[in-house]
Amino acid sequence: MSAIDLNARASSTYAAKLAETTALLQQAAQDYAANAGGNAPRITLACSLGAEDMVLAHLINQLQLNIGIFVLETGQLHPETLALLDRLQATSRAPVEVFTPVNESVVQFVDREGKDAMYKSIELRKACCHIRKMEPLGRALAGKAAWVTGLRREQSGARAEVPLIDNSDAKITKLNPLANWTWGDVWFYIAQNQVDYNPLHDQFYPSIGCAPCTRAISMGEDFRAGRWWWEDETAKECGLHVKDKAAA
């Protein structure tokens, strides 16, 4: 059974949520357009190539919005994810930038801690995430005034209060246009609009990250149970969406 067959069930308020998301993206494209003389918009989509972000990329392209798209290619992504990245780059109207970690940093970390360091401690796993995700993210967001994510309140307890517009960081605004969407809404949109998606979703991978840190889940398991499954639930973030406590 495909992820569409299993999950594509629109909520009773799906139409209103789609309208809300569309309006937010359209307004953001206006609010964060390129400055006078600038070539690139001051807003970009952080695209993990997961189902939610493929919905957002589709909306940005369908609405012909001047919002960029970027992908963090960590060097540890599944072949299926890399193939989807190739297809997105080939078909997207919006430019898709790819940011990779500093190779020297990766080599030094692996030489020092081993290729399976992420399993040894939370500290080492987070150090790996910093090298492969956080540092490239900083480069991806440099000069931007806002970024778009696929965060949804339903994804985990840690994300239960995700706002549509997050101004907690004084330096950059985070927009979460799908905050109110259910998993069923996401897949209903994918089915209705024939959105390309990662085939790993058909193999019970609802949340997909780096290959060593992602597994399939069983029926009844938490949505993010397949991410860093050897760690305590409270630690299951890489840092991309963890608020600075000083700013919270």
Side-chain angles (χ1 to χ4, degrees):
M1 180 180 290
S2 73
I4 288 177
D5 294 333
L6 186 63
N7 300 302
R9 306 288 186 275
S11 62
S12 60
T13 55
Y14 168 78
K17 286 184 281 191
L18 177 58
E20 175 184 66
T21 296
T22 299
L24 180 60
L25 287 171
Q26 290 173 325
Q27 187 62 50
Q30 294 180 31
D31 291 345
Y32 300 103
N35 289 323
N39 296 318
R42 295 178 298 127
I43 183 170
T44 185
L45 166 66
C47 183
S48 69
L49 302 165
E52 291 94 344
D53 293 336
M54 294 305 293
V55 166
L56 290 170
H58 184 270
L59 279 166
I60 287 169
N61 281 303
Q62 183 186 55
L63 298 170
Q64 299 186 23
L65 301 178
N66 194 20
I67 297 176
I69 299 172
F70 75 88
V71 173
L72 302 180
E73 206 291 78
T74 66
Q76 293 276 29
L77 300 182
H78 297 84
E80 294 89 342
T81 305
L82 293 173
L84 179 58
L85 171 57
D86 288 343
R87 297 197 300 274
L88 178 62
Q89 287 184 299
T91 59
S92 177
R93 174 185 175 276
V96 179
E97 291 188 272
V98 177
F99 290 84
T100 59
V102 176
N103 186 63
E104 184 179 357
S105 297
V106 173
V107 170
Q108 289 178 354
F109 179 78
V110 172
D111 285 347
R112 183 176 67 252
E113 306 294 349
K115 64 182 181 64
D116 295 327
M118 67 285 295
Y119 303 126
K120 297 177 182 178
S121 71
I122 292 177
E123 290 72 25
L124 285 175
R125 193 273 291 171
K126 289 185 176 181
C128 185
C129 287
H130 180 83
I131 292 169
R132 295 182 183 275
K133 294 183 179 182
M134 297 304 296
E135 190 280 331
L137 176 69
R139 284 185 273 121
L141 297 182
K144 301 299 182 184
W147 60 312
V148 181
T149 86
L151 293 182
R152 294 183 300 109
R153 293 171 187 158
E154 187 189 64
Q155 286 170 338
S156 71
R159 300 179 178 183
E161 298 182 2
V162 166
L164 285 171
I165 302 174
D166 185 348
N167 290 308
S168 61
D169 186 338
K171 298 179 181 178
I172 190 168
T173 297
K174 180 189 284 189
L175 304 176
N176 309 301
L178 304 183
N180 294 318
W181 286 41
T182 66
W183 189 228
D185 291 333
V186 171
W187 284 99
F188 184 78
Y189 184 94
I190 288 173
Q192 290 290 300
N193 295 278
Q194 298 183 313
V195 177
D196 195 5
Y197 67 88
N198 195 322
L200 288 174
H201 287 307
D202 293 335
Q203 300 174 39
F204 302 100
Y205 284 73
S207 179
I208 304 169
C210 293
C213 299
T214 308
R215 66 163 174 80
I217 67 170
S218 302
M219 293 296 290
E221 279 194 288
D222 181 78
F223 183 87
R224 286 174 63 81
R227 301 293 296 279
W228 309 295
W229 63 91
W230 62 92
E231 294 182 357
D232 180 76
E233 179 65 30
T234 59
K236 288 188 174 183
E237 291 286 354
C238 63
L240 296 181
H241 302 297
V242 176
K243 287 186 180 180
D244 182 347
K245 287 183 171 54

